[in-house]
Amino acid sequence: DTGVSQDPRHKITKRGQNVTFRCDPISEHNRLYWYRQTLGQGPEFLTYFQNEAQLEKSRLLSDRFSAERPKGSFSTLEIQRTEQGDSAMYLCASSLGSFSGNTIYFGEGSWLTVV
Amino acid sequence: GIQVEQSPPDLILQEGANSTLRCNFSDSVNNLQWFHQNPWGQLINLFYIPSGTKQNGRLSATTVATERYSLLYISSSQTTDSGVYFCAARGDRGSTLGRLYFGRGTQLTVWP
């Protein structure tokens, strides 16, 4: 069973370094989402793609954040010049369909610690 | 966006007890999901339930879309039910169509 896969699962980096997370969605899912979750909070939306098109970006996604989904399959989320406030779990999710009510499935998340 | 409010924020039960978690949402939705977040952080789908009632073992859920709320019932709770339960909703028009909006969750602790 191939669910949503995220890599790496854990990352510790020094402040100022760049980090990149990868997400492989469920096969044939054309929608892919990125969320961020900090301790004690619910997941917060960052951005989502339909195929390779990035359709929406949250205000949380500052200029230091960039997400891509070049061929409409896997996606990467890069954080440049990391800050301690970027420490969080980054969640990827995918779903099938466009503006319908399809179930959204989440990966196991990538934990980022900025020291 | 859609406001999603969950109650109670914390719930402590003894094994075997029943519980009801509530989720209120501020607008009409085409997607309402309940998740259980395990201690390792993964969000496990429990129900996709924009309307109606569903049951899965000891868990069941009901969404009354016209009144903008959903309920998650846990019967005969077990220690493995512990964790955070999230409700998330997606709207059915305009800018609310794309994303799931999450509540802040209910932290459930089940003692043996």
Side-chain angles (χ1 to χ4, degrees):
Chain A
D1 177 22
T2 53
V4 179
S5 177
Q6 294 189 242
D7 182 70
R9 294 292 319 282
H10 302 271
K11 179 73 176 179
I12 300 174
T13 190
K14 291 183 179 179
R15 188 174 51 187
Q17 298 294 304
N18 299 343
V19 296
T20 300
F21 300 110
R22 176 181 170 123
C23 172
D24 288 272
I26 294 172
S27 179
E28 298 180 353
H29 278 192
N30 59 359
R31 278 200 157 189
L32 185 148
Y33 310 80
W34 285 99
Y35 282 77
R36 181 174 71 183
Q37 187 178 17
T38 53
L39 203 61
Q41 303 295 318
E44 298 174 295
F45 172 79
L46 293 178
T47 188
Y48 85 92
F49 295 84
Q50 181 159 312
N51 299 313
E52 64 274 11
Q54 190 172 18
L55 295 187
E56 187 179 357
K57 292 194 293 185
S58 163
R59 289 171 296 175
L60 292 176
L61 213 65
S62 74
D63 291 345
R64 297 184 298 105
F65 288 70
S66 63
E68 294 182 344
R69 195 183 184 197
K71 297 183 179 179
S73 56
F74 73 92
S75 176
T76 58
L77 176 68
E78 181 183 19
I79 308 173
Q80 296 182 327
R81 304 181 303 282
T82 52
E83 302 172 355
Q84 286 187 323
D86 297 331
S87 295
M89 180 167 64
Y90 291 85
L91 290 158
C92 179
S94 70
S95 70
L96 180 64
S98 57
F99 296 123
S100 59
N102 295 109
T103 303
I104 296 175
Y105 296 90
F106 281 81
E108 295 179 305
S110 293
W111 291 91
L112 173 64
T113 302
V114 181
V115 298
Chain B
I2 296 178
Q3 310 303 313
V4 179
E5 295 181 352
Q6 293 186 242
S7 60
D10 297 281
L11 189 57
I12 301 174
L13 301 172
Q14 194 155 22
E15 207 167 26
N18 302 329
S19 60
T20 301
L21 283 58
R22 186 177 179 102
C23 171
N24 294 331
F25 44 93
S26 62
D27 207 341
S28 56
V29 300
N30 71 3
N31 182 338
L32 190 293
Q33 291 184 233
W34 284 96
F35 297 91
H36 177 212
Q37 189 162 44
N38 66 23
W40 298 271
Q42 185 168 14
L43 286 165
I44 309 296
N45 279 299
L46 297 177
F47 293 102
Y48 164 76
I49 187 165
S51 64
T53 297
K54 290 185 178 179
Q55 181 155 8
N56 184 4
R58 296 182 296 104
L59 273 60
S60 64
T62 295
T63 298
V64 183
T66 53
E67 298 187 21
R68 298 181 183 170
Y69 73 88
S70 183
L71 302 174
L72 178 68
Y73 305 97
I74 304 174
S75 65
S76 303
S77 56
Q78 301 175 357
T79 56
T80 52
D81 294 332
S82 295
V84 184
Y85 289 80
F86 286 105
C87 169
R90 179 167 65 191
D92 62 2
R93 58 177 179 269
S95 62
T96 68
L97 271 170
R99 66 176 80 174
L100 272 179
Y101 294 84
F102 279 80
R104 297 190 66 173
T106 292
Q107 174 75 58
L108 175 64
T109 304
V110 181
W111 294 97

